[in-house]
mmCIF file of all heavy atoms in Angstrom:
data_model
loop_
_atom_site.group_PDB
_atom_site.id
_atom_site.type_symbol
_atom_site.label_atom_id
_atom_site.label_comp_id
_atom_site.label_asym_id
_atom_site.label_seq_id
_atom_site.Cartn_x
_atom_site.Cartn_y
_atom_site.Cartn_z
ATOM 1 N N SER H 23 -9.675 10.818 -8.793
ATOM 2 C CA SER H 23 -9.656 10.412 -10.201
ATOM 3 C C SER H 23 -8.718 11.364 -10.942
ATOM 4 O O SER H 23 -8.791 12.576 -10.757
ATOM 5 C CB SER H 23 -11.074 10.499 -10.774
ATOM 6 O OG SER H 23 -11.052 10.258 -12.151
ATOM 7 N N PHE H 24 -7.854 10.804 -11.774
ATOM 8 C CA PHE H 24 -6.829 11.640 -12.401
ATOM 9 C C PHE H 24 -6.864 11.632 -13.921
ATOM 10 O O PHE H 24 -6.249 12.473 -14.551
ATOM 11 C CB PHE H 24 -5.444 11.218 -11.909
ATOM 12 C CG PHE H 24 -5.313 11.344 -10.415
ATOM 13 C CD1 PHE H 24 -5.523 10.251 -9.595
ATOM 14 C CD2 PHE H 24 -5.035 12.562 -9.825
ATOM 15 C CE1 PHE H 24 -5.442 10.370 -8.221
ATOM 16 C CE2 PHE H 24 -4.951 12.695 -8.452
ATOM 17 C CZ PHE H 24 -5.153 11.592 -7.648
ATOM 18 N N GLY H 25 -7.580 10.706 -14.537
ATOM 19 C CA GLY H 25 -7.641 10.633 -15.993
ATOM 20 C C GLY H 25 -8.498 11.736 -16.581
ATOM 21 O O GLY H 25 -9.576 12.030 -16.074
ATOM 22 N N PHE H 26 -8.010 12.363 -17.635
ATOM 23 C CA PHE H 26 -8.736 13.400 -18.379
ATOM 24 C C PHE H 26 -9.076 14.623 -17.530
ATOM 25 O O PHE H 26 -10.032 15.324 -17.817
ATOM 26 C CB PHE H 26 -10.024 12.846 -18.998
ATOM 27 C CG PHE H 26 -9.825 11.602 -19.785
ATOM 28 C CD1 PHE H 26 -10.434 10.421 -19.403
ATOM 29 C CD2 PHE H 26 -9.041 11.606 -20.920
ATOM 30 C CE1 PHE H 26 -10.255 9.269 -20.134
ATOM 31 C CE2 PHE H 26 -8.861 10.459 -21.656
ATOM 32 C CZ PHE H 26 -9.470 9.284 -21.265
ATOM 33 N N ARG H 27 -8.301 14.868 -16.490
ATOM 34 C CA ARG H 27 -8.594 15.998 -15.610
ATOM 35 C C ARG H 27 -7.540 17.081 -15.795
ATOM 36 O O ARG H 27 -6.345 16.798 -15.867
ATOM 37 C CB ARG H 27 -8.608 15.554 -14.140
ATOM 38 C CG ARG H 27 -9.560 14.413 -13.796
ATOM 39 C CD ARG H 27 -11.012 14.808 -13.784
ATOM 40 N NE ARG H 27 -11.392 15.619 -12.667
ATOM 41 C CZ ARG H 27 -11.756 15.140 -11.479
ATOM 42 N NH1 ARG H 27 -11.797 13.850 -11.248
ATOM 43 N NH2 ARG H 27 -12.109 15.968 -10.528
ATOM 44 N N LYS H 28 -7.997 18.329 -15.827
ATOM 45 C CA LYS H 28 -7.072 19.461 -15.937
ATOM 46 C C LYS H 28 -6.208 19.545 -14.688
ATOM 47 O O LYS H 28 -6.690 19.297 -13.575
ATOM 48 C CB LYS H 28 -7.848 20.771 -16.076
ATOM 49 C CG LYS H 28 -8.334 21.038 -17.460
ATOM 50 C CD LYS H 28 -8.930 22.428 -17.525
ATOM 51 C CE LYS H 28 -9.375 22.728 -18.928
ATOM 52 N NZ LYS H 28 -9.960 24.046 -19.039
ATOM 53 N N PHE H 29 -4.980 19.910 -14.891
ATOM 54 C CA PHE H 29 -4.018 20.131 -13.810
ATOM 55 C C PHE H 29 -3.781 18.882 -12.966
ATOM 56 O O PHE H 29 -3.394 18.975 -11.815
ATOM 57 C CB PHE H 29 -4.442 21.311 -12.926
ATOM 58 C CG PHE H 29 -4.836 22.533 -13.702
ATOM 59 C CD1 PHE H 29 -6.135 23.008 -13.665
ATOM 60 C CD2 PHE H 29 -3.919 23.190 -14.502
ATOM 61 C CE1 PHE H 29 -6.509 24.123 -14.388
ATOM 62 C CE2 PHE H 29 -4.288 24.309 -15.232
ATOM 63 C CZ PHE H 29 -5.581 24.778 -15.184
ATOM 64 N N ARG H 30 -4.050 17.694 -13.532
ATOM 65 C CA ARG H 30 -3.773 16.436 -12.834
ATOM 66 C C ARG H 30 -2.935 15.568 -13.753
ATOM 67 O O ARG H 30 -3.091 15.602 -14.964
ATOM 68 C CB ARG H 30 -5.062 15.721 -12.455
ATOM 69 C CG ARG H 30 -5.862 16.516 -11.447
ATOM 70 C CD ARG H 30 -7.076 15.774 -11.031
ATOM 71 N NE ARG H 30 -7.905 16.634 -10.203
ATOM 72 C CZ ARG H 30 -8.696 16.184 -9.264
ATOM 73 N NH1 ARG H 30 -8.786 14.904 -9.020
ATOM 74 N NH2 ARG H 30 -9.426 17.017 -8.557
ATOM 75 N N SER H 31 -2.066 14.776 -13.155
ATOM 76 C CA SER H 31 -1.133 14.000 -13.958
ATOM 77 C C SER H 31 -0.902 12.625 -13.346
ATOM 78 O O SER H 31 -1.413 12.301 -12.274
ATOM 79 C CB SER H 31 0.204 14.741 -14.035
ATOM 80 O OG SER H 31 0.811 14.763 -12.745
ATOM 81 N N THR H 32 -0.067 11.860 -14.021
ATOM 82 C CA THR H 32 0.341 10.554 -13.527
ATOM 83 C C THR H 32 1.049 10.714 -12.182
ATOM 84 O O THR H 32 0.891 9.881 -11.287
ATOM 85 C CB THR H 32 1.271 9.873 -14.544
ATOM 86 O OG1 THR H 32 0.616 9.852 -15.804
ATOM 87 C CG2 THR H 32 1.623 8.467 -14.126
ATOM 88 N N HIS H 33 1.815 11.787 -12.035
ATOM 89 C CA HIS H 33 2.526 12.044 -10.771
ATOM 90 C C HIS H 33 1.539 12.221 -9.618
ATOM 91 O O HIS H 33 1.793 11.745 -8.507
ATOM 92 C CB HIS H 33 3.419 13.285 -10.891
ATOM 93 C CG HIS H 33 4.511 13.130 -11.892
ATOM 94 N ND1 HIS H 33 5.576 12.282 -11.728
ATOM 95 C CD2 HIS H 33 4.681 13.710 -13.102
ATOM 96 C CE1 HIS H 33 6.364 12.344 -12.771
ATOM 97 N NE2 HIS H 33 5.845 13.207 -13.633
ATOM 98 N N ASP H 34 0.419 12.874 -9.880
ATOM 99 C CA ASP H 34 -0.604 13.038 -8.844
ATOM 100 C C ASP H 34 -1.208 11.685 -8.468
ATOM 101 O O ASP H 34 -1.477 11.427 -7.291
ATOM 102 C CB ASP H 34 -1.712 13.983 -9.323
ATOM 103 C CG ASP H 34 -1.198 15.386 -9.566
ATOM 104 O OD1 ASP H 34 -0.420 15.893 -8.744
ATOM 105 O OD2 ASP H 34 -1.585 15.968 -10.597
ATOM 106 N N ALA H 35 -1.426 10.831 -9.453
ATOM 107 C CA ALA H 35 -1.972 9.493 -9.188
ATOM 108 C C ALA H 35 -0.977 8.678 -8.361
ATOM 109 O O ALA H 35 -1.369 7.981 -7.411
ATOM 110 C CB ALA H 35 -2.305 8.785 -10.497
ATOM 111 N N CYS H 36 0.306 8.776 -8.694
ATOM 112 C CA CYS H 36 1.344 8.066 -7.927
ATOM 113 C C CYS H 36 1.405 8.572 -6.494
ATOM 114 O O CYS H 36 1.551 7.795 -5.546
ATOM 115 C CB CYS H 36 2.704 8.212 -8.605
ATOM 116 S SG CYS H 36 2.844 7.324 -10.162
ATOM 117 N N LYS H 37 1.301 9.874 -6.319
ATOM 118 C CA LYS H 37 1.310 10.475 -4.980
ATOM 119 C C LYS H 37 0.126 9.949 -4.160
ATOM 120 O O LYS H 37 0.276 9.588 -2.994
ATOM 121 C CB LYS H 37 1.242 11.991 -5.086
ATOM 122 C CG LYS H 37 1.217 12.711 -3.754
ATOM 123 C CD LYS H 37 1.115 14.226 -3.956
ATOM 124 C CE LYS H 37 0.894 14.939 -2.654
ATOM 125 N NZ LYS H 37 0.699 16.386 -2.855
ATOM 126 N N GLN H 38 -1.062 9.881 -4.780
ATOM 127 C CA GLN H 38 -2.253 9.381 -4.091
ATOM 128 C C GLN H 38 -2.073 7.914 -3.703
ATOM 129 O O GLN H 38 -2.428 7.515 -2.590
ATOM 130 C CB GLN H 38 -3.495 9.551 -4.969
ATOM 131 C CG GLN H 38 -4.776 9.087 -4.329
ATOM 132 C CD GLN H 38 -5.172 9.900 -3.112
ATOM 133 O OE1 GLN H 38 -4.888 11.075 -3.031
ATOM 134 N NE2 GLN H 38 -5.821 9.265 -2.157
ATOM 135 N N ALA H 39 -1.509 7.119 -4.610
ATOM 136 C CA ALA H 39 -1.266 5.702 -4.308
ATOM 137 C C ALA H 39 -0.282 5.576 -3.143
ATOM 138 O O ALA H 39 -0.483 4.766 -2.231
ATOM 139 C CB ALA H 39 -0.734 4.989 -5.544
ATOM 140 N N PHE H 40 0.781 6.376 -3.148
ATOM 141 C CA PHE H 40 1.750 6.352 -2.061
ATOM 142 C C PHE H 40 1.093 6.708 -0.734
ATOM 143 O O PHE H 40 1.312 6.038 0.287
ATOM 144 C CB PHE H 40 2.919 7.303 -2.342
ATOM 145 C CG PHE H 40 3.929 7.329 -1.240
ATOM 146 C CD1 PHE H 40 4.889 6.329 -1.128
ATOM 147 C CD2 PHE H 40 3.901 8.341 -0.285
ATOM 148 C CE1 PHE H 40 5.810 6.347 -0.088
ATOM 149 C CE2 PHE H 40 4.822 8.358 0.752
ATOM 150 C CZ PHE H 40 5.782 7.363 0.850
ATOM 151 N N LEU H 41 0.274 7.775 -0.738
ATOM 152 C CA LEU H 41 -0.397 8.185 0.500
ATOM 153 C C LEU H 41 -1.298 7.078 1.042
ATOM 154 O O LEU H 41 -1.337 6.834 2.246
ATOM 155 C CB LEU H 41 -1.214 9.454 0.271
ATOM 156 C CG LEU H 41 -0.418 10.743 0.072
ATOM 157 C CD1 LEU H 41 -1.346 11.880 -0.337
ATOM 158 C CD2 LEU H 41 0.342 11.103 1.339
ATOM 159 N N CYS H 42 -2.000 6.399 0.160
ATOM 160 C CA CYS H 42 -2.914 5.332 0.593
ATOM 161 C C CYS H 42 -2.165 4.097 1.079
ATOM 162 O O CYS H 42 -2.626 3.399 1.982
ATOM 163 C CB CYS H 42 -3.845 4.933 -0.544
ATOM 164 S SG CYS H 42 -5.051 6.194 -0.941
ATOM 165 N N LEU H 43 -1.017 3.827 0.489
ATOM 166 C CA LEU H 43 -0.294 2.593 0.800
ATOM 167 C C LEU H 43 0.786 2.752 1.864
ATOM 168 O O LEU H 43 1.379 1.767 2.292
ATOM 169 C CB LEU H 43 0.341 2.038 -0.483
ATOM 170 C CG LEU H 43 -0.640 1.653 -1.583
ATOM 171 C CD1 LEU H 43 0.091 1.332 -2.868
ATOM 172 C CD2 LEU H 43 -1.502 0.486 -1.135
ATOM 173 N N SER H 44 1.036 3.974 2.321
ATOM 174 C CA SER H 44 2.140 4.200 3.257
ATOM 175 C C SER H 44 1.739 4.071 4.727
ATOM 176 O O SER H 44 2.602 4.163 5.599
ATOM 177 C CB SER H 44 2.758 5.582 3.014
ATOM 178 O OG SER H 44 1.811 6.596 3.290
ATOM 179 N N HIS H 45 0.482 3.853 5.011
ATOM 180 C CA HIS H 45 0.036 3.721 6.406
ATOM 181 C C HIS H 45 0.338 2.325 6.944
ATOM 182 O O HIS H 45 0.483 1.366 6.188
ATOM 183 C CB HIS H 45 -1.471 3.991 6.519
ATOM 184 C CG HIS H 45 -1.851 5.377 6.071
ATOM 185 N ND1 HIS H 45 -1.511 6.503 6.771
ATOM 186 C CD2 HIS H 45 -2.533 5.806 4.981
ATOM 187 C CE1 HIS H 45 -1.959 7.572 6.139
ATOM 188 N NE2 HIS H 45 -2.579 7.168 5.042
ATOM 189 N N THR H 46 0.378 2.200 8.265
ATOM 190 C CA THR H 46 0.647 0.914 8.900
ATOM 191 C C THR H 46 -0.395 -0.127 8.484
ATOM 192 O O THR H 46 -0.056 -1.272 8.199
ATOM 193 C CB THR H 46 0.639 1.077 10.445
ATOM 194 O OG1 THR H 46 1.549 2.120 10.791
ATOM 195 C CG2 THR H 46 1.027 -0.213 11.127
ATOM 196 N N TYR H 47 -1.648 0.261 8.482
ATOM 197 C CA TYR H 47 -2.722 -0.671 8.125
ATOM 198 C C TYR H 47 -3.225 -0.399 6.708
ATOM 199 O O TYR H 47 -4.416 -0.285 6.470
ATOM 200 C CB TYR H 47 -3.870 -0.572 9.133
ATOM 201 C CG TYR H 47 -3.448 -0.992 10.514
ATOM 202 C CD1 TYR H 47 -3.206 -0.049 11.503
ATOM 203 C CD2 TYR H 47 -3.247 -2.332 10.815
ATOM 204 C CE1 TYR H 47 -2.794 -0.424 12.772
ATOM 205 C CE2 TYR H 47 -2.831 -2.722 12.075
ATOM 206 C CZ TYR H 47 -2.611 -1.765 13.047
ATOM 207 O OH TYR H 47 -2.195 -2.148 14.291
ATOM 208 N N ALA H 48 -2.308 -0.279 5.796
ATOM 209 C CA ALA H 48 -2.654 0.019 4.402
ATOM 210 C C ALA H 48 -3.076 -1.247 3.672
ATOM 211 O O ALA H 48 -2.750 -2.360 4.086
ATOM 212 C CB ALA H 48 -1.442 0.631 3.704
ATOM 213 N N PRO H 49 -3.798 -1.094 2.592
ATOM 214 C CA PRO H 49 -4.145 -2.258 1.767
ATOM 215 C C PRO H 49 -2.877 -2.959 1.286
ATOM 216 O O PRO H 49 -1.828 -2.329 1.121
ATOM 217 C CB PRO H 49 -4.896 -1.654 0.573
ATOM 218 C CG PRO H 49 -5.317 -0.300 1.000
ATOM 219 C CD PRO H 49 -4.323 0.149 2.025
ATOM 220 N N VAL H 50 -2.986 -4.248 1.079
ATOM 221 C CA VAL H 50 -1.828 -5.008 0.599
ATOM 222 C C VAL H 50 -1.950 -5.342 -0.891
ATOM 223 O O VAL H 50 -1.033 -5.893 -1.474
ATOM 224 C CB VAL H 50 -1.615 -6.306 1.414
ATOM 225 C CG1 VAL H 50 -1.234 -5.966 2.852
ATOM 226 C CG2 VAL H 50 -2.849 -7.175 1.379
ATOM 227 N N TRP H 51 -3.079 -5.044 -1.471
ATOM 228 C CA TRP H 51 -3.299 -5.314 -2.888
ATOM 229 C C TRP H 51 -3.616 -4.010 -3.628
ATOM 230 O O TRP H 51 -4.257 -3.121 -3.083
ATOM 231 C CB TRP H 51 -4.494 -6.260 -3.092
ATOM 232 C CG TRP H 51 -4.242 -7.638 -2.578
ATOM 233 C CD1 TRP H 51 -4.542 -8.110 -1.336
ATOM 234 C CD2 TRP H 51 -3.631 -8.708 -3.277
ATOM 235 N NE1 TRP H 51 -4.169 -9.413 -1.210
ATOM 236 C CE2 TRP H 51 -3.601 -9.814 -2.409
ATOM 237 C CE3 TRP H 51 -3.095 -8.848 -4.551
ATOM 238 C CZ2 TRP H 51 -3.069 -11.037 -2.770
ATOM 239 C CZ3 TRP H 51 -2.573 -10.073 -4.913
ATOM 240 C CH2 TRP H 51 -2.561 -11.144 -4.033
ATOM 241 N N VAL H 52 -3.182 -3.942 -4.856
ATOM 242 C CA VAL H 52 -3.524 -2.836 -5.737
ATOM 243 C C VAL H 52 -4.175 -3.451 -6.964
ATOM 244 O O VAL H 52 -3.623 -4.365 -7.578
ATOM 245 C CB VAL H 52 -2.279 -2.024 -6.170
ATOM 246 C CG1 VAL H 52 -2.653 -0.970 -7.201
ATOM 247 C CG2 VAL H 52 -1.624 -1.382 -4.954
ATOM 248 N N LEU H 53 -5.358 -2.982 -7.275
ATOM 249 C CA LEU H 53 -6.083 -3.489 -8.444
ATOM 250 C C LEU H 53 -6.068 -2.420 -9.527
ATOM 251 O O LEU H 53 -6.474 -1.284 -9.293
ATOM 252 C CB LEU H 53 -7.537 -3.819 -8.055
ATOM 253 C CG LEU H 53 -8.445 -4.291 -9.173
ATOM 254 C CD1 LEU H 53 -7.976 -5.638 -9.711
ATOM 255 C CD2 LEU H 53 -9.869 -4.405 -8.661
ATOM 256 N N GLU H 54 -5.540 -2.786 -10.669
ATOM 257 C CA GLU H 54 -5.515 -1.864 -11.796
ATOM 258 C C GLU H 54 -6.570 -2.325 -12.786
ATOM 259 O O GLU H 54 -6.733 -3.522 -13.025
ATOM 260 C CB GLU H 54 -4.145 -1.875 -12.472
ATOM 261 C CG GLU H 54 -4.079 -0.954 -13.657
ATOM 262 C CD GLU H 54 -2.764 -1.041 -14.416
ATOM 263 O OE1 GLU H 54 -1.862 -1.770 -13.994
ATOM 264 O OE2 GLU H 54 -2.669 -0.366 -15.452
ATOM 265 N N GLY H 55 -7.300 -1.386 -13.344
ATOM 266 C CA GLY H 55 -8.347 -1.744 -14.296
ATOM 267 C C GLY H 55 -8.364 -0.814 -15.488
ATOM 268 O O GLY H 55 -7.837 0.287 -15.443
ATOM 269 N N ASP H 56 -8.958 -1.287 -16.532
ATOM 270 C CA ASP H 56 -9.109 -0.493 -17.746
ATOM 271 C C ASP H 56 -10.479 -0.825 -18.315
ATOM 272 O O ASP H 56 -10.836 -1.997 -18.445
ATOM 273 C CB ASP H 56 -8.007 -0.858 -18.751
ATOM 274 C CG ASP H 56 -8.048 -0.003 -20.002
ATOM 275 O OD1 ASP H 56 -8.660 1.088 -19.974
ATOM 276 O OD2 ASP H 56 -7.479 -0.425 -21.022
ATOM 277 N N ILE H 57 -11.236 0.188 -18.627
ATOM 278 C CA ILE H 57 -12.550 -0.039 -19.223
ATOM 279 C C ILE H 57 -12.342 -0.207 -20.720
ATOM 280 O O ILE H 57 -12.019 0.754 -21.420
ATOM 281 C CB ILE H 57 -13.512 1.123 -18.924
ATOM 282 C CG1 ILE H 57 -13.667 1.299 -17.422
ATOM 283 C CG2 ILE H 57 -14.856 0.885 -19.606
ATOM 284 C CD1 ILE H 57 -14.421 2.551 -17.023
ATOM 285 N N LYS H 58 -12.499 -1.434 -21.184
ATOM 286 C CA LYS H 58 -12.265 -1.733 -22.595
ATOM 287 C C LYS H 58 -13.270 -0.974 -23.462
ATOM 288 O O LYS H 58 -14.473 -1.081 -23.277
ATOM 289 C CB LYS H 58 -12.386 -3.236 -22.842
ATOM 290 C CG LYS H 58 -12.045 -3.636 -24.254
ATOM 291 C CD LYS H 58 -12.114 -5.128 -24.436
ATOM 292 C CE LYS H 58 -11.763 -5.477 -25.874
ATOM 293 N NZ LYS H 58 -11.830 -6.920 -26.088
ATOM 294 N N GLY H 59 -12.738 -0.204 -24.390
ATOM 295 C CA GLY H 59 -13.595 0.529 -25.314
ATOM 296 C C GLY H 59 -14.492 1.542 -24.637
ATOM 297 O O GLY H 59 -15.620 1.751 -25.072
ATOM 298 N N CYS H 60 -14.008 2.192 -23.582
ATOM 299 C CA CYS H 60 -14.830 3.153 -22.829
ATOM 300 C C CYS H 60 -15.462 4.191 -23.744
ATOM 301 O O CYS H 60 -16.672 4.382 -23.722
ATOM 302 C CB CYS H 60 -13.990 3.825 -21.756
ATOM 303 S SG CYS H 60 -14.858 5.138 -20.879
ATOM 304 N N PHE H 61 -14.647 4.853 -24.543
ATOM 305 C CA PHE H 61 -15.176 5.893 -25.432
ATOM 306 C C PHE H 61 -16.135 5.305 -26.459
ATOM 307 O O PHE H 61 -17.104 5.945 -26.849
ATOM 308 C CB PHE H 61 -14.049 6.629 -26.157
ATOM 309 C CG PHE H 61 -13.322 7.615 -25.300
ATOM 310 C CD1 PHE H 61 -12.108 7.286 -24.725
ATOM 311 C CD2 PHE H 61 -13.846 8.869 -25.056
ATOM 312 C CE1 PHE H 61 -11.427 8.193 -23.941
ATOM 313 C CE2 PHE H 61 -13.178 9.788 -24.273
ATOM 314 C CZ PHE H 61 -11.962 9.446 -23.713
ATOM 315 N N ASP H 62 -15.861 4.079 -26.910
ATOM 316 C CA ASP H 62 -16.681 3.458 -27.955
ATOM 317 C C ASP H 62 -18.036 2.972 -27.456
ATOM 318 O O ASP H 62 -18.962 2.811 -28.243
ATOM 319 C CB ASP H 62 -15.944 2.267 -28.580
ATOM 320 C CG ASP H 62 -14.647 2.666 -29.240
ATOM 321 O OD1 ASP H 62 -14.554 3.824 -29.698
ATOM 322 O OD2 ASP H 62 -13.719 1.838 -29.291
#
């Protein structure tokens, strides 16, 4: 998890996505989500 974390950034999230998707038997779908009004 990279949101709201110290010393973590979008670049770290991209690196994690690359690591997960670069394997031979990697997932073929990426699901992006947003919790509407999370703070509220």
Side-chain angles (χ1 to χ4, degrees):
S23 174
F24 301 96
F26 309 117
R27 304 287 287 274
K28 279 187 178 180
F29 312 115
R30 295 183 187 209
S31 67
T32 306
H33 296 291
D34 296 317
C36 291
K37 179 181 172 184
Q38 181 65 31
F40 179 80
L41 289 172
C42 290
L43 298 171
S44 64
H45 300 291
T46 306
Y47 296 104
V50 294
W51 293 92
V52 174
L53 177 66
E54 179 185 356
D56 184 19
I57 301 171
K58 185 177 180 180
C60 174
F61 284 99
D62 299 332

